[in-house]
Amino acid sequence: MPVREMTESYPMEINLDRDLISDTVQVLMECAQACTACGDSCLSEMEIGELAKCIRTDLDCADICETTARVLSRHTGYDANLTRAQLDACIQACTSCADECERHPRHDHCRICAETCRRCAEACRTMNEVIS
């Protein structure tokens, strides 16, 4: 898995568990993909007008997850306060997206996205608890 390999290849010491970083980045990337795909699927539904908020929330969550993954992938000049703030934003985005997707249970893509967002929010909470 390239995420793990890249984290392991970092030449300096990292004050965090490298496996936890890798796992969290992987979950973030999966969530970004699920949100992007869900938003695209919503665009193909007949009741697109009813899904406008879902589409917006999906796209916002995808962007925030991708940014969070990039922040967690950088170790040089690490700023714990910035990382915690980014993780908090991601937790909020994932929670909001999951809540919105759960309003549309008849769409499998919304169900899958909500489940993925809940996992991602939990991974970010775990990561946030160990940051020093």
Side-chain angles (χ1 to χ4, degrees):
M1 180 170 20
V3 173
R4 188 167 308 280
E5 290 174 33
M6 290 304 295
T7 304
E8 289 300 322
S9 72
Y10 184 72
M12 307 230 7
E13 185 175 327
I14 299 176
N15 292 336
L16 300 171
D17 181 305
R18 289 178 191 237
D19 288 338
L20 180 60
I21 294 169
S22 297
D23 292 346
T24 305
V25 168
Q26 187 65 40
V27 169
L28 285 159
M29 293 179 357
E30 289 170 2
C31 191
Q33 188 279 328
C35 290
T36 300
C38 184
D40 184 64
S41 293
C42 286
L43 288 169
S44 297
E45 296 290 352
M46 296 301 290
E47 69 281 1
I48 189 172
E50 297 171 25
L51 295 168
K53 184 175 180 185
C54 192
I55 295 164
R56 169 61 190 262
T57 307
D58 284 334
L59 298 177
D60 287 348
C61 190
D63 289 344
I64 292 168
C65 285
E66 288 175 356
T67 300
T68 305
R70 289 194 304 270
V71 168
L72 285 178
S73 295
R74 298 179 190 129
H75 310 292
T76 304
Y78 172 73
D79 183 337
N81 292 323
L82 179 65
T83 302
R84 275 194 292 276
Q86 186 63 43
L87 286 164
D88 286 340
C90 195
I91 292 164
Q92 182 60 58
C94 287
T95 300
S96 295
C97 191
D99 289 348
E100 179 59 31
C101 281
E102 287 170 351
R103 293 183 61 234
H104 311 285
R106 68 188 184 103
H107 300 299
D108 281 341
H109 53 85
C110 286
R111 177 189 54 77
I112 294 164
C113 187
E115 291 169 0
T116 305
C117 285
R118 296 272 184 228
R119 276 194 308 274
C120 190
E122 187 56 36
C124 288
R125 278 187 204 92
T126 300
M127 188 81 231
N128 229 353
E129 289 172 3
V130 301
I131 290 179
S132 55

